[in-house]
Amino acid sequence: MDGTIVDTEPYWIAAEHALVEAHGGSWSHDQATQLVGQALTFSAGVLQEAGVRLETREIIDALTAEVIESVQRAVPWRPGARELLDDLHQAGVRCALVTMSEGPLAREIVANLPKPYFEFLVTGDTVTQGKPHPEAYLKAVALLQEADPGLTIDHCVALEDSAPGVAAALASGVATVAIPHIVPLPEDPRHTTWSSLAGRSVSELEAIAAGSLAAASGSEPALGSLS
């Protein structure tokens, strides 16, 4: 979500700067970029090492509240994100939102979309292990399978902007599209790389799912999208 469909990473970085400085520390852009895509519990630990004298839960709540306040002023949509979501919705493709942000922020973002594009949300507060662990993606696929037992992980495509997110998706076995944003991502033959979602189509995602299915079993594609 953060960095893939909305450009909230600057909001997170600003919140981190303010929190560290409020506790007498300093926070660099390089330190901030190391937290992009990470689980919030991991980020809280790094901020504690930087001098923030709060418990993990307090740090997560403080950061999330600040980012929600920024989102309520302006939702910074990424180029092409809403258009692709609308195309997927019109094509009947089931979509799930998989994010390490917690429920309140994810719901705030989704509430600003014009249609119910996401069938459900898997957020950082609904898993025990955050990205780069694959738990969130495995949970999303399992939820998709509840309504469609014939769906397999090879029918799904994940859209990710961060190294932890890409690692989580790949570890789950989901075909992955990397869309680098704040932090560059190395080329990797295991995933597809797009520079942006602008101009991208349902047919391109279907082709990626078809390739995954062909490699697995030769079945016909029935795309499910995870982002």
Side-chain angles (χ1 to χ4, degrees), residues 1-4 6-16 32-33 35-38 67 76 101 161-162 181-183:
M1 180 183 77
D2 300 288
T4 304
V6 285
D7 189 10
T8 49
E9 295 299 352
Y11 292 168
W12 286 104
I13 292 170
E16 293 157 10
T33 58
L35 304 189
V36 172
Q38 296 282 2
V67 174
S101 291
D161 72 292
S162 70
H181 178 40
I182 295 291
V183 180

Side-chain angles (χ1 to χ4, degrees), residues 48-214:
Q48 287 168 334
E49 292 173 2
V52 177
R53 297 178 299 279
L54 295 173
E55 296 299 321
T56 297
R57 184 70 256 168
E58 293 175 307
I59 292 173
I60 292 172
D61 288 346
L63 293 176
T64 300
E66 187 68 27
V67 174
I68 288 175
E69 186 175 324
S70 297
V71 165
Q72 288 172 338
R73 290 194 295 268
V75 182
W77 301 108
R78 293 284 293 136
R82 285 176 294 176
E83 294 82 357
L84 182 56
L85 282 170
D86 197 61
D87 289 346
L88 288 164
H89 185 72
Q90 290 188 44
V93 176
R94 300 168 66 206
C95 293
L97 183 64
V98 180
T99 178
M100 288 299 93
S101 291
E102 294 192 342
L105 175 57
R107 289 189 290 271
E108 185 71 34
I109 297 296
V110 169
N112 280 276
L113 290 166
K115 298 175 185 175
Y117 295 135
F118 294 108
E119 188 170 323
F120 55 81
L121 315 180
V122 176
T123 57
D125 49 345
T126 65
V127 296
T128 57
Q129 300 185 84
K131 301 173 184 177
H133 192 278
E135 180 186 350
Y137 276 109
L138 293 172
K139 179 174 182 176
V141 173
L143 288 169
L144 287 168
Q145 289 172 328
E146 288 182 3
D148 181 5
L151 180 142
T152 73
I153 205 161
D154 299 305
H155 292 96
C156 301
V157 178
L159 306 177
E160 275 286 355
D161 72 292
S162 70
V166 168
L170 289 173
S172 75
V174 175
T176 304
V177 178
I179 311 104
H181 178 40
I182 295 291
V183 180
L185 297 174
E187 290 294 328
D188 189 324
R190 296 176 299 165
H191 66 67
T192 301
T193 301
W194 291 349
S195 61
S196 168
L197 292 179
R200 295 297 179 173
S201 66
V202 176
S203 61
E204 288 177 284
L205 290 172
E206 286 176 334
I208 292 168
S212 178
L213 279 163

